[in-house]
Amino acid sequence: MQTVNSKEEVIKRNLLKETKPYVYEKIMKFDEKMRRGESIAIIQFQYNYACNFLCDHCSVKRFQGKTEGRQFTLEDVRSLARQADELGLARFVITGGEPLIFKDFDAVVEAIDPQKFYINVDTNGWFLDEEKAAHLKKIGIDRIQLSIDSLDPEEHDHFRKAKGSHERAMKAVDIALNAGLAIFIQTVVTKQRLHSEEFLDFVRYFNGKGVGVFVTYAKPVGAWEGNFDVLVTKEDMDYMRELEKQFQVYTHLTPAYGLDVGCIAVKGMISVTQYGDVLPCPYTHTTIGNIFEEPLKDIIDRGMAIKYFGERVDTCFIAEDREFIEKYVAGRIYGKQLPVPCSEVFTDEDKTVKPFNEDLGGRGC
């Protein structure tokens, strides 16, 4: 693991120390936790799949519409947050669906407890007006992750299947900034878009407003299941790393909180579905356990025992590794009810051999 302490990182840490000292203290222990082989996972919380859009690339398309089975209550949210806090985890991303249409959104935030976690909210921006932005800041939301996929209104609206969505999203950027809400732009990047002048113009535009751009590489899941033409290669990812040296542009492989850990699946992120299943990341649709059935710690330990998540890797398997995608995703997940139990996807040959913390000079698990 490489430690990264940029000027931007120091500023963020100092602000966090001032506004959320308890969260700051947890984050300052991340390096120590990783050297012990422990996860520092962001909890990407798919609390509800309700959404006002029908996006081309929607990764949760096959999770939507389910009505049977147990779903999260506010007490379940409190339990998840309590367990996460006990494990020293410090970050939540509330997502969906579209969180700003959740009727119980405020209660969910309260149940997580903003004083104990840094809380991000994913949004398409449709409902982010001045009043909503001020309210989000007041109840303890730290940052908005706003989805925009082109500077061209027609292209964005077509991609998001919502006429007028570009206009609202662009207004939402200034609204968030004026409200003092931290914000970055989330954008989906295919192999074709990555090398376009449009993408460079997109990054330059938002960087010019002082806003960073977070890149989500196209994945062959959800509404894009089987769409391999949009996938990037390792060379494409190297090109992105060069762009990171020039612009405020990031991916999940970008060092954060002073730590460079490579792929963050399980060790740096888990996704929790509306139905309690825990996924290694939002795009690997296999469950490593269910929060309603066993402790979060046991679930994370199970995920860390799988080599693709428990060992250090400097790529995103689900975005570019065609061998992984063909064998595990297309071969063992496609066509099945989601999420598929990890025992049906990974076998004994996939067990962790060299825990990631051995690369850090720490002890094994």
Side-chain angles (χ1 to χ4, degrees):
M1 178 187 67
Q2 177 185 356
T3 301
V4 179
N5 291 302
S6 66
K7 181 179 179 181
E8 182 183 0
E9 190 68 47
V10 172
I11 292 172
K12 288 180 180 178
R13 286 190 183 191
N14 289 340
L15 179 61
L16 187 64
K17 184 177 182 180
E18 180 182 335
T19 57
K20 293 190 174 183
Y22 180 72
V23 179
Y24 171 82
E25 290 299 326
K26 286 197 287 186
I27 287 175
M28 291 304 292
K29 295 176 182 177
F30 277 2
D31 182 79
E32 176 186 339
K33 283 176 62 62
M34 296 209 77
R35 290 184 183 281
R36 293 199 300 263
E38 298 174 7
S39 171
I40 57 169
I42 301 165
I43 297 178
Q44 197 247 16
F45 188 27
Q46 302 170 0
Y47 175 70
N48 192 310
Y49 293 119
C51 191
N52 57 321
F53 282 10
L54 293 169
C55 302
D56 270 355
H57 70 301
C58 181
S59 64
V60 299
K61 181 179 180 180
R62 289 183 56 202
F63 288 85
Q64 294 174 319
K66 179 180 173 183
T67 56
E68 73 281 0
R70 182 175 173 180
Q71 301 180 31
F72 265 92
T73 64
L74 292 175
E75 189 54 43
D76 293 326
V77 177
R78 292 187 189 93
S79 175
L80 173 62
R82 175 184 54 76
Q83 292 183 67
D85 183 43
E86 289 172 353
L87 292 174
L89 306 183
R91 299 163 291 168
F92 265 81
V93 177
I94 303 175
T95 187
E98 168 53 45
L100 298 190
I101 69 173
F102 300 166
K103 293 180 179 179
D104 55 352
F105 178 84
D106 286 17
V108 171
V109 174
E110 183 180 12
I112 292 171
D113 191 346
Q115 293 308 307
K116 293 181 179 178
F117 296 94
Y118 187 93
I119 302 179
N120 292 271
V121 176
D122 283 339
T123 182
N124 56 41
W126 188 271
F127 296 104
L128 190 62
D129 56 19
E130 288 85 353
E131 183 180 355
K132 177 66 73 173
H135 179 71
L136 293 177
K137 184 172 178 63
K138 181 180 179 180
I139 64 174
I141 299 303
D142 295 287
R143 183 167 61 188
I144 292 297
Q145 303 179 171
L146 178 63
S147 295
I148 302 179
D149 291 296
S150 177
L151 292 179
D152 183 280
E154 247 182 71
E155 287 185 10
H156 175 90
D157 289 2
H158 177 75
F159 189 73
R160 294 283 166 177
K161 297 290 186 291
K163 187 173 179 57
S165 60
H166 183 268
E167 181 181 3
R168 289 201 182 206
M170 295 296 280
K171 286 181 179 178
V173 177
D174 291 327
I175 287 170
L177 291 172
N178 291 338
L181 269 176
I183 181 175
F184 65 61
I185 303 303
Q186 293 192 133
T187 194
V188 178
V189 172
T190 62
K191 178 183 182 66
Q192 295 77 15
R193 188 183 183 214
L194 176 60
H195 296 282
S196 70
E197 192 62 30
E198 177 275 329
F199 177 62
L200 291 177
D201 288 343
F202 183 93
V203 172
R204 291 188 187 106
Y205 175 81
F206 287 109
N207 281 187
K209 296 175 75 68
V211 177
V213 174
F214 185 88
V215 165
T216 297
Y217 291 124
K219 314 291 195 309
V221 298
W224 271 356
E225 187 171 296
N227 186 357
F228 300 148
D229 293 338
V230 297
L231 303 184
V232 296
T233 63
K234 279 190 171 67
E235 290 72 26
D236 296 327
M237 295 171 80
D238 288 340
Y239 170 70
M240 175 61 74
R241 290 186 178 97
E242 289 303 310
L243 293 183
E244 290 181 40
K245 297 175 183 178
Q246 304 173 51
F247 304 104
Q248 287 178 280
V249 60
Y250 321 101
T251 73
H252 275 307
L253 294 170
T254 305
Y257 292 98
L259 302 173
D260 181 359
V261 302
C263 172
I264 64 173
V266 183
K267 67 182 74 69
M269 167 179 274
I270 55 172
S271 292
V272 181
T273 76
Q274 181 176 340
Y275 311 104
D277 290 299
V278 179
L279 317 180
C281 80
Y283 311 102
T284 307
H285 294 161
T286 179
T287 176
I288 56 175
N290 190 292
I291 198 70
F292 301 148
E293 299 171 359
E294 57 185 326
L296 179 61
K297 181 183 185 306
D298 293 351
I299 296 171
I300 290 176
D301 286 348
R302 181 178 298 116
M304 296 286 278
I306 299 169
K307 66 182 180 182
Y308 297 105
F309 316 126
E311 298 180 12
R312 179 185 169 83
V313 292
D314 288 318
T315 191
C316 176
F317 290 112
I318 196 70
E320 69 83 18
D321 191 320
R322 291 295 291 271
E323 184 177 344
F324 178 90
I325 293 167
E326 293 285 354
K327 181 176 180 179
Y328 297 102
V329 182
R332 300 180 185 178
I333 295 178
Y334 282 2
K336 296 183 179 180
Q337 182 176 342
L338 299 182
V340 181
C342 63
S343 59
E344 297 180 20
V345 178
F346 301 105
T347 65
D348 286 345
E349 70 176 13
D350 301 311
K351 287 185 177 179
T352 296
V353 176
K354 184 183 180 183
F356 74 92
N357 64 317
E358 289 187 6
D359 288 333
L360 315 184
R363 57 185 175 84
C365 298

